[in-house]
Amino acid sequence: MKIFMVDDDIEMLNGLEAFVPWAEYGFQLVGKSNNAYDSLDEIKATKPDILVTDITMPGINGFELARECKAVLPDLKVVFLTCHEDFEYAREAFKLQAEDYLVKHTLTEEELLEKMLSLKTAIEEQKRNRQYLAGVHANKDIIAETYFK
């Protein structure tokens, strides 16, 4: 499960990387950036499953980053990580179909890990369902013939 992290607070970004033993839980940190605009091409190239991003950053903000990335990677799961407990921010995150809105100063390792594991399970199930449906579609003639016999 591939994760990409974006936060203009370098200490926070490095802390997130060290916060959880990602590989131990089946995650691969495919990239991190302290600049949302500069991360766009790298996100598109690495095709992460999950984007963890701050909201307020210079240049483009986390909401704009999420919009740009989801236009190219529609299945991308986005988790906003912010210092803002403002309802308008949460509402905008909801509009973007974010998976969660986590507040930095109350975030615990357990909360972050629980959210990532939950997303991992959902993504794996989504991939299994797609594979199953692709198999059904590929074999639709055989299935139809068997059904009508």
Side-chain angles (χ1 to χ4, degrees), residues 8-129:
D8 62 328
D9 179 346
I10 295 173
E11 260 183 53
M12 184 67 180
L13 192 60
N14 290 334
L16 285 171
E17 183 179 10
F19 209 34
V20 174
W22 297 106
E24 195 175 303
Y25 291 98
F27 295 101
Q28 177 188 8
L29 185 59
V30 294
K32 66 179 186 171
S33 176
N34 66 341
N35 181 304
Y37 184 77
D38 291 344
S39 68
L40 277 170
D41 289 337
E42 195 174 345
I43 291 169
K44 291 173 185 176
T46 59
K47 295 180 173 72
D49 300 293
I50 302 168
L51 170 64
V52 178
T53 183
D54 188 12
I55 295 174
T56 53
M57 296 180 280
I60 66 171
N61 65 35
F63 294 139
E64 294 165 348
L65 175 64
R67 268 189 218 95
E68 291 276 334
C69 292
K70 283 179 101 32
V72 178
L73 304 167
D75 292 333
L76 180 68
K77 306 297 184 202
V78 179
V79 174
F80 289 107
L81 184 63
T82 184
C83 293
H84 302 281
E85 295 183 65
D86 186 300
F87 175 73
E88 288 304 314
Y89 280 105
R91 193 172 98 178
E92 185 65 22
F94 178 73
K95 284 182 187 177
L96 290 169
Q97 299 176 337
E99 301 305 314
D100 213 332
Y101 182 94
L102 304 173
V103 179
K104 290 179 183 180
H105 64 271
T106 61
L107 183 66
T108 64
E109 176 184 338
E110 292 79 21
E111 181 183 13
L112 180 61
L113 181 57
E114 181 180 313
K115 175 45 60 181
M116 294 299 116
L117 289 172
S118 166
L119 285 174
K120 180 181 175 192
T121 300
I123 292 166
E124 287 170 343
E125 184 175 334
Q126 185 179 36
K127 286 179 180 180
R128 278 192 303 274
N129 288 341

Side-chain angles (χ1 to χ4, degrees), residues 140-149:
K140 69 181 177 189
D141 294 335
I142 295 168
I143 294 168
E145 184 179 321
T146 303
Y147 175 75
F148 288 114
K149 280 185 181 177

